[in-house]
């Protein structure tokens, strides 16, 4: 049977053999099935799938009358503020917009705070408290954009209480025993990911994007990871984290390649089990989750199923604080911002001074 040729589809298959077919423009999942490709093509040619596809396309292309919530939502999605969001946030908010489709025909002027609360509670019931917070954030952003454009007189989502409460132990600090055992049995494709998070405290989204150009010689610290963080990078600029001996040994061996050919400067430092760049931070986290689900991990660390990659960043920061560095110095090393940071000048120069000071003290303590 010839393959179905419909525009705008994202067709992918995971390692377990399950196919996922979604609308590329919105991310809406249309079909999932564990089967061979020929069977998938047969299902995609069937009336159920074609109906789901046409319905999703019709909703995507639908035009909403002026003054409706749908018209305001579409205006916001096509505007500068939405496009300035990080890709992961855009993806999360796109799912919220699909959920809010049920309210798109409502007159925006008639929507009151009680209506927003009702939508929040429905989202919490169907998809959980965290998703309900995203719903409030999106509704508020839509109305804020309309308010600035003179299309609304107030923002009915302003002040609506969030329901989600983060678990304070969700990204807990690793113990030294957990680190040594997990790293010792970790697969080769995760070693650099774990070591960079542990020894330099980088966020997952930055680790996934590092290339060999980011690993550079430095006159004060020997070798550094120099990069512009995705979060706050437009404000803090490029930061340089000194690479301690254990991590440097690993990275130098990787940089040497096969002894004849070294990786190109634009090649990714961290690669998946197939030797390819992690396409997203989520893909990298999936590799970590797969490792945690392995028999080797469960056997070596039976009580550590709650360990996270971000917990290694917490571990890095905690050890800096215990070494006597100030909150400001720790924030500089993490590329974070403080309340008064906007008032400070020469931020990049200050952060480099901190990085050199931290590197030298850490190196001295390890001897």
């Amino acid at each position: 049977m010839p393959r179905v040729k419909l525009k705008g589809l994202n067709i992918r298959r995971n390692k377990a053999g399950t196919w996922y077919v979604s609308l590329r423009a919105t991310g809406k999942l249309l079909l999932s099935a564990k089967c061979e490709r020929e069977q998938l093509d047969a299902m995609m040619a069937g009336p159920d799938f074609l109906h789901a596809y046409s319905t999703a396309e019709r909703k995507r292309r639908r035009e909403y009358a002026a003054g409706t919530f749908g018209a305001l939502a579409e205006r916001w999605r096509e505007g500068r503020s939405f496009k300035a969001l990080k890709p992961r946030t855009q993806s999360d908010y796109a799912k919220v917009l699909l959920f809010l489709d049920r309210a798109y025909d409502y007159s925006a002027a008639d929507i009151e705070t009680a209506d927003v609360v009702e939508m929040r509670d429905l989202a919490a019931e169907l998809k959980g408290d965290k998703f309900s917070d995203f719903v409030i954030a999106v509704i508020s952003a839509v109305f804020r954009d309309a308010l600035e454009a003179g299309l609304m007189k107030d923002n009915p989502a302003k002040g609506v209480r969030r329901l989600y409460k983060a678990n304070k132990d969700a990204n807990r600090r690793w113990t030294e025993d957990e680190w040594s055992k997990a790293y010792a049995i970790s697969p080769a494709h995760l070693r650099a990911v774990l070591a960079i998070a542990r020894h330099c405290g980088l966020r997952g989204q930055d680790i996934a994007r590092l290339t060999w150009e980011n690993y550079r010689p430095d006159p004060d610290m020997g070798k550094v990871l120099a990069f512009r963080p995705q979060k706050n990078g437009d404000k803090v600029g490029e930061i340089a984290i000194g690479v301690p001996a254990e991590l440097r040994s690993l990275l130098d061996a990787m940089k040497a390649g096969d002894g004849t050919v070294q990786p190109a400067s634009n090649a990714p430092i961290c690669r998946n089990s197939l030797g390819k760049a992690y396409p997203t931070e989520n893909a990298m986290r999936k590799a970590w989750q797969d490792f945690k689900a392995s028999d080797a991990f469960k056997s070596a660390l039976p009580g550590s199923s709650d360990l996270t990659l971000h917990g290694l960043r917490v571990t890095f920061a905690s050890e800096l604080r215990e070494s006597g560095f100030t909150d400001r110095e720790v924030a500089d090393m993490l590329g974070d911002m403080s309340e008064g940071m906007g008032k400070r000048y020469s931020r990049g120069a200050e952060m480099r001074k901190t990085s050199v000071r931290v590197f030298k003290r850490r190196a001295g303590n390890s001897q």
Side-chain angles (χ1 to χ4, degrees):
M1 175 179 289
R3 294 186 176 182
V4 176
K5 295 182 179 180
L6 298 173
K7 294 182 179 180
L9 289 179
N10 181 17
I11 303 173
R12 59 204 183 280
R13 189 183 193 185
N14 66 14
K15 292 181 180 179
T18 300
W19 290 94
Y20 296 92
V21 183
S22 59
L23 198 63
R24 184 177 294 111
T26 63
K28 182 174 179 57
L29 183 64
L30 303 177
L31 173 65
S32 64
K34 189 172 184 178
C35 61
E36 296 302 320
R37 179 59 196 254
E38 291 75 15
Q39 295 172 292
L40 180 73
D41 288 334
M43 285 186 280
M44 290 173 61
D48 290 342
F49 177 83
L50 293 177
H51 175 70
Y53 171 79
S54 61
T55 299
E57 269 289 281
R58 186 170 62 253
K59 284 187 174 182
R60 183 178 74 84
R61 299 175 182 276
R62 183 176 171 185
E63 294 184 2
Y64 298 93
T68 61
F69 178 74
L72 298 185
E74 291 298 310
R75 181 184 187 280
W76 172 70
R77 184 169 185 171
E78 295 300 320
R80 177 181 297 180
S81 59
F82 181 86
K83 292 178 180 178
L85 297 172
K86 295 292 188 289
R88 181 174 176 178
T89 305
Q90 287 188 10
S91 177
D92 289 336
Y93 284 3
K95 295 172 185 176
V96 173
L97 290 171
L98 286 174
F99 175 83
L100 291 173
D101 179 77
R102 65 198 74 199
Y104 273 24
D105 287 321
Y106 293 173
S107 169
D110 292 336
I111 295 178
E112 300 178 348
T113 298
D115 299 312
V116 178
V117 172
E118 183 178 347
M119 189 63 71
R120 176 202 68 185
D121 293 345
L122 178 62
E125 179 183 351
L126 297 178
K127 295 180 174 292
D129 288 354
K130 189 170 185 178
F131 185 83
S132 76
D133 280 5
F134 287 160
V135 167
I136 297 172
V138 169
I139 294 175
S140 183
V142 168
F143 281 123
R144 184 168 58 248
D145 177 70
L147 192 63
E148 292 176 351
L151 301 175
M152 289 286 293
K153 294 183 178 179
D154 56 22
N155 184 346
K158 186 176 182 180
V160 174
R161 180 171 58 89
R162 265 61 168 174
L163 300 180
Y164 178 71
K165 294 182 179 179
N167 180 356
K168 64 179 181 180
D169 296 322
N171 292 298
R172 68 169 176 85
R173 177 177 179 173
W174 291 37
T175 67
E176 188 56 39
D177 182 61
E178 286 174 328
W179 163 251
S180 59
K181 288 181 178 178
Y183 187 73
I185 63 171
S186 62
H189 65 275
L190 274 179
R191 291 246 163 149
V193 174
L194 296 173
I196 291 171
R198 173 67 180 84
H199 296 298
C200 291
L202 271 66
R203 295 184 181 89
Q205 59 189 325
D206 293 320
I207 295 175
R209 296 172 64 245
L210 287 176
T211 68
W212 288 110
E213 195 280 328
N214 298 116
Y215 183 52
R216 307 173 189 170
D218 184 271
D220 299 305
M221 295 179 279
K223 289 287 186 67
V224 299
L225 286 172
F227 63 100
R228 182 184 293 269
Q230 281 198 286
K231 183 177 182 180
N232 302 325
D234 57 333
K235 298 180 177 65
V236 303
E238 184 177 86
I239 61 176
I241 309 296
V243 177
E246 182 178 347
L247 176 56
R248 181 171 177 175
S249 177
L250 172 68
L251 294 182
D252 283 347
M254 293 172 63
K255 185 69 172 68
D258 61 6
T260 303
V261 179
Q262 293 185 346
S265 61
N266 63 349
I269 293 179
C270 300
R271 298 169 180 263
N272 62 22
S273 59
L274 300 177
K276 305 292 185 180
Y278 288 104
T280 63
E281 177 190 3
N282 283 342
M284 188 178 73
R285 292 186 186 280
K286 178 62 166 56
W288 161 249
Q289 294 296 335
D290 290 344
F291 169 51
K292 282 206 304 180
S294 68
D295 291 338
F297 184 94
K298 291 178 179 178
S299 176
L301 295 154
S304 302
S305 61
D306 59 338
L307 291 180
T308 66
L309 291 179
H310 197 77
L312 288 172
R313 179 174 165 87
V314 174
T315 305
F316 174 78
S318 299
E319 291 182 353
L320 291 183
R321 291 191 180 93
E322 290 174 355
S323 297
F325 293 104
T326 66
D327 288 344
R328 178 65 267 161
E329 289 173 322
V330 174
D332 281 352
M333 289 296 294
L334 295 174
D336 281 339
M337 297 177 63
S338 70
E339 183 177 343
M341 186 175 171
K343 300 178 182 178
R344 299 181 64 175
Y345 296 94
S346 303
R347 186 73 243 144
E350 289 298 320
M351 294 181 80
R352 176 171 175 79
K353 290 179 183 178
T354 298
S355 190
V356 172
R357 188 163 58 251
V358 169
F359 176 80
K360 289 184 176 180
R361 190 188 300 181
R362 291 177 75 199
N365 291 341
S366 65
Q367 294 177 354

